Amino acid sequence: MKRTIAALLCGAALMLPALPPPAQATTRLATLSVRGADVSSLPKSEAFGGSWYDAWGNRRDALTILRDSGVNMIRLKVWVNPADGYNNKSRVLTMARRVKALGMGLLVDFHYSDAWADPGKQYKPAAWTSYSFTRLRQAVYDHTYDVLNGLRSQGTAADMVQVGNEISGGMLWEDGRSSNWANLSQLLISGTSAVRNVFPSAKIILHLPDGGDNGLYRWWFDNATSRGVPFDVIGFSYYPVWHGTLAAFRTNINDITARYRKPALVVETAYPFTAGNDDFLTNVVGGNEPFPGYPATPTGQTNLLRAVKDVVAAVPNGRGLGVIWWEPTWTAVRGSGWDPADPNSGNAWENQALFDFNDRALPALAELGR
């Protein structure tokens, strides 16, 4: 049961003709330095009885399966005060200990909200709604510092930190909308300052959706750089069903990395392995071939991931860092739904996991770690 993020992953983009499936390619590009997985839902799924099996049918710890498949970076989101008590500071600290014990890197993704923050909603945490803008800036700094300092205190350093999640429209609405860059830049600088003060060597990521939209990325990062917002890595969401063709994605990532002389990381991507459904909630991506040339099958999922990896690996000057699959372990576990305020909510994402409906690792997991 993955998240019903029909709201999170909004409206399908108009698509140009797709590139041929990568299975037609005869050569493979270099191994990416970041081969990651966002497993933010995992603790809740475990608490409600989820199980995961490797490709040979052995039941094992999900993180260990990922690590042994070649995954080397784990991404965890942080909410401020979520209704269900998951994805908050204490849960992230617990997960960070597991991640580091397995020798994997840690990417912390700050949403600055009590629930999903994405292009369609960037709502303040309830406790911050009455704050003046000055106090709001301080709250961003304090919250970011507090979570990261907790990680430092227990010896589980963050290797990468996202200040905001899919913030094309800004964050902490209404104060921080991207229509008010004077405010947005100050909020971002507050967050990045906290990162630098706790983990000076951590890579700061600024993350946008719509990985095929070159105009969006140019407009947004022109504004960020002109106002002195510091960052080390440009974060992309690229979901092919919504975010344009592979050709558009390639054009954008190549242009943006050259324009700002920064490396790029796909911090979110995913694709279905089936058109089927494993719970009561309709999948957010359905259909037998939701992206032209790539059927919703285990092979189609693997080929799509390979195509995305190859685009990133081919970014000039070695500026393509890697790819992170969004929620590969979010299988259909009743109770581990998308809405933190509704324990009966389901998961509209389970057909995009990297474990099948029998909870067994799919071929795309091996491709992710390769």
Side-chain angles (χ1 to χ4, degrees):
M1 305 173 155
K2 303 227 170 49
R3 51 181 190 186
T4 252
I5 314 179
L8 180 74
L9 302 163
C10 341
L14 294 175
M15 292 189 296
L16 302 172
L19 296 179
Q24 300 177 10
T26 57
T27 59
R28 294 301 310 277
L29 296 171
T31 299
L32 296 167
S33 61
V34 176
R35 305 175 302 280
D38 185 317
V39 296
S40 298
S41 69
L42 181 59
K44 191 172 182 179
S45 292
E46 290 174 331
F48 280 90
S51 58
W52 294 265
Y53 297 80
D54 64 23
W56 296 272
N58 303 301
R59 182 174 179 175
R60 300 172 62 201
D61 170 69
L63 279 180
T64 303
I65 295 172
L66 295 179
R67 192 273 312 272
D68 290 351
S69 299
V71 170
N72 65 0
M73 181 70 69
I74 295 297
R75 179 179 186 247
L76 301 173
K77 67 173 172 279
V78 188
W79 290 336
V80 177
N81 188 27
D84 62 2
Y86 287 89
N87 301 296
N88 59 11
K89 174 189 171 182
S90 64
R91 298 282 186 173
V92 168
L93 295 185
T94 299
M95 279 294 288
R97 290 193 290 271
R98 294 174 59 186
V99 168
K100 291 293 184 171
L102 289 171
M104 293 189 284
L106 175 64
L107 190 167
V108 180
D109 173 20
F110 284 92
H111 281 227
Y112 300 111
S113 183
D114 291 334
W116 304 105
D118 57 62
K121 50 190 179 301
Q122 292 280 343
Y123 302 131
K124 295 173 187 172
W128 300 5
T129 53
S130 64
Y131 287 0
S132 67
F133 184 68
T134 298
R135 191 174 179 192
L136 187 63
R137 284 187 303 168
Q138 189 64 46
V140 170
Y141 181 92
D142 291 346
H143 171 63
T144 308
Y145 188 98
D146 180 52
V147 173
L148 297 181
N149 190 51
L151 291 169
R152 178 173 63 180
S153 297
Q154 68 177 17
T156 55
D159 301 283
M160 295 181 162
V161 180
Q162 279 185 228
V163 177
N165 185 75
E166 293 191 324
I167 50 177
S168 53
M171 55 194 268
L172 293 161
W173 292 346
E174 296 294 319
D175 298 67
R177 281 193 181 269
S178 56
S179 55
N180 187 344
W181 263 100
N183 278 5
L184 176 56
S185 62
Q186 291 181 63
L187 294 171
L188 291 169
I189 289 170
S190 290
T192 57
S193 296
V195 178
R196 287 283 187 252
N197 287 339
V198 181
F199 293 124
S201 63
K203 301 300 182 186
I204 293 173
I205 302 172
L206 297 181
H207 168 212
L208 302 187
D210 301 306
D213 189 342
N214 186 239
L216 167 66
Y217 278 69
R218 282 189 168 216
W219 167 78
W220 200 95
F221 280 98
D222 279 357
N223 275 287
T225 54
S226 69
R227 289 167 173 81
V229 178
F231 63 99
D232 304 303
V233 176
I234 299 167
F236 289 72
S237 284
Y238 177 63
Y239 296 99
V241 175
W242 300 295
H243 295 165
T245 63
L246 285 158
F249 172 51
R250 177 187 296 115
T251 296
N252 187 32
I253 196 171
N254 289 351
D255 175 68
I256 293 302
T257 52
R259 184 177 180 87
Y260 304 106
R261 301 183 180 227
K262 300 285 187 181
L265 177 62
V266 176
V267 297
E268 293 188 28
T269 195
Y271 195 72
F273 67 88
T274 179
N277 191 17
D278 199 28
D279 72 356
F280 61 88
L281 195 61
T282 301
N283 295 331
V284 69
V285 175
N288 293 324
E289 191 174 282
F291 187 66
Y294 296 87
T297 64
T299 299
Q301 182 187 58
T302 302
N303 288 345
L304 190 282
L305 172 56
R306 185 178 304 136
V308 173
K309 287 177 60 181
D310 284 350
V311 169
V312 177
V315 173
N317 300 307
R319 290 189 175 124
L321 295 181
V323 172
I324 296 174
W325 194 270
W326 196 82
E327 290 286 10
T329 60
W330 202 357
T331 52
V333 177
R334 182 168 289 277
S336 183
W338 74 275
D339 186 351
D342 180 5
N344 295 314
S345 62
N347 175 6
W349 201 260
E350 79 276 12
N351 69 324
Q352 298 189 74
L354 296 183
F355 292 82
D356 66 20
F357 290 171
N358 293 313
D359 304 319
R360 188 164 177 165
L362 287 157
L365 178 56
E367 177 61 40
L368 178 63
R370 185 171 293 122

